C-alpha cells in the first residue's frame, strides 16, 4: 500500500540531500499534507496510514545522514513542531505540552510522535533546510535566508513539493568578501 507515494518521498529526499549541502546534526523541517498527497484539498482528507508511510520513508533516510527532523503540525496546533528531545535540547528550543493527532496536528506529525525516540513539541525553530509537501508553508521555520532547491519532479502523489536550504546572510558593503564554500 502507498508504494508510489513512498517511492516519490524517497526520490524527493534523495534529490533534496544531493542539493542541500547539509552537515551532520543539521535540522530539517518537513511540513506535509496527506490530503494533498491524495489529491484532495489541504486539511480535508487526513490519512494516518499515508502519513506514517511517507514519514517513515523520509525520516529513515534523513536520520541515516545524521540529520535531525522536525515536523510541522497543522494550523490547529498553531504550526507547532514535533522533534526529538535531543534536538530540542541541542538547539535550545522550549518544549511545550501538546501531542498531535490526525485531525489536530496532522497525520504526518502524529506519525513522527509515534516513531521518534523521545518526541517533544516546540513552537519555534530555525531549521537549516526544509521540505514542504502540499504547500503547508514551512518558511516560518527556516533560518532567515532561504534558497530554493529545484526538484526535477516536484510531486509526492498529488502534492506539490517545495524544498529549500538556508545560507548565512551577506553582510557588509561593496568591499566585503565572502566565503564561497558556505553560500
Amino acid at each position: 500500500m502507498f508504494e508510489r507515494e513512498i517511492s516519490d518521498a524517497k526520490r524527493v529526499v534523495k534529490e533534496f540531500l544531493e542539493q542541500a549541502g547539509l552537515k551532520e546534526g543539521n535540522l530539517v523541517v518537513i511540513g506535509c499534507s496527506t490530503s494533498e498527497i491524495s489529491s484532495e484539498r489541504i486539511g480535508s482528507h487526513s490519512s494516518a496510514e499515508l502519513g506514517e508511510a511517507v514519514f517513515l520513508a523520509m525520516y529513515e533516510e534523513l536520520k541515516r545522514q545524521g540529520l535531525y527532523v522536525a515536523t510541522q503540525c497543522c494550523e490547529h496546533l498553531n504550526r507547532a513542531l514535533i522533534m526529538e528531545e535531543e534536538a530540542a535540547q541541542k538547539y535550545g528550543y522550549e518544549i511545550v505540552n501538546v501531542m498531535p493527532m490526525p485531525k489536530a496536528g496532522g497525520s504526518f506529525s502524529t506519525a513522527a510522535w509515534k516513531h521518534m525516540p523521545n518526541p517533544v513539541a516546540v513552537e519555534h525553530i530555525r531549521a537549516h533546510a526544509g521540505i514542504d509537501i502540499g504547500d503547508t508553508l514551512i518558511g516560518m521555520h527556516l533560518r532567515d535566508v532561504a534558497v530554493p532547491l529545484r526538484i526535477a519532479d516536484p510531486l509526492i502523489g498529488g502534492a506539490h513539493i517545495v524544498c529549500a536550504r538556508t545560507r548565512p546572510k551577506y553582510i557588509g558593503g561593496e568591499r566585503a568578501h565572502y566565503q564561497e564554500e558556505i553560500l
Side-chain angles (χ1 to χ4, degrees):
M1 189 177 232
F2 306 121
E3 290 85 13
R4 180 179 132 221
E5 292 85 353
I6 291 168
S7 175
D8 286 348
K10 288 179 178 181
R11 174 187 46 77
V12 166
V13 168
K14 181 178 186 275
E15 194 170 342
F16 167 77
L17 289 170
E18 288 169 358
Q19 295 183 49
L22 297 170
K23 297 176 181 161
E24 188 173 328
N26 281 172
L27 179 58
V28 175
V29 61
I30 304 173
C32 177
S33 168
T34 58
S35 299
E36 290 280 332
I37 292 174
S38 299
S39 299
E40 300 290 345
R41 187 178 53 80
I42 195 168
S44 66
H45 288 81
S46 186
S47 167
E49 297 82 11
L50 180 55
E52 189 165 0
V54 173
F55 170 77
L56 288 172
M58 301 180 93
Y59 180 68
E60 288 169 1
E61 184 56 33
L62 293 166
K63 289 300 293 179
R64 196 172 3 266
Q65 299 299 318
L67 301 169
Y68 290 113
V69 175
T71 64
Q72 176 182 268
C73 295
C74 69
E75 73 276 9
H76 297 101
L77 294 186
N78 298 326
R79 305 279 188 228
L81 301 117
I82 304 305
M83 63 193 315
E84 295 174 34
E85 183 178 23
E86 176 183 324
Q89 290 177 349
K90 174 180 178 172
Y91 286 105
Y93 298 138
E94 183 177 354
I95 295 170
V96 297
N97 189 2
V98 72
M99 289 174 37
M101 298 301 210
K103 298 273 185 197
S107 293
F108 193 81
S109 287
T110 301
W113 188 271
K114 178 179 176 181
H115 291 284
M116 284 181 172
N118 302 311
V120 297
V122 301
E123 287 188 287
H124 307 285
I125 65 169
R126 297 183 38 78
H128 298 91
I131 301 172
D132 187 322
I133 305 166
D135 302 318
T136 63
L137 303 175
I138 63 166
M140 69 187 87
H141 301 303
L142 293 171
R143 291 177 177 215
D144 288 343
V145 184
V147 178
L149 302 176
R150 302 291 181 219
I151 302 298
D153 182 12
L155 292 172
I156 294 179
H160 178 247
I161 306 299
V162 176
C163 297
R165 66 174 178 87
T166 61
R167 65 159 175 78
K169 295 177 185 180
Y170 294 141
I171 63 167
E174 62 186 39
R175 290 184 266 175
H177 295 270
Y178 304 106
Q179 301 172 66
E180 292 292 321
E181 65 274 5
I182 65 170
L183 301 179

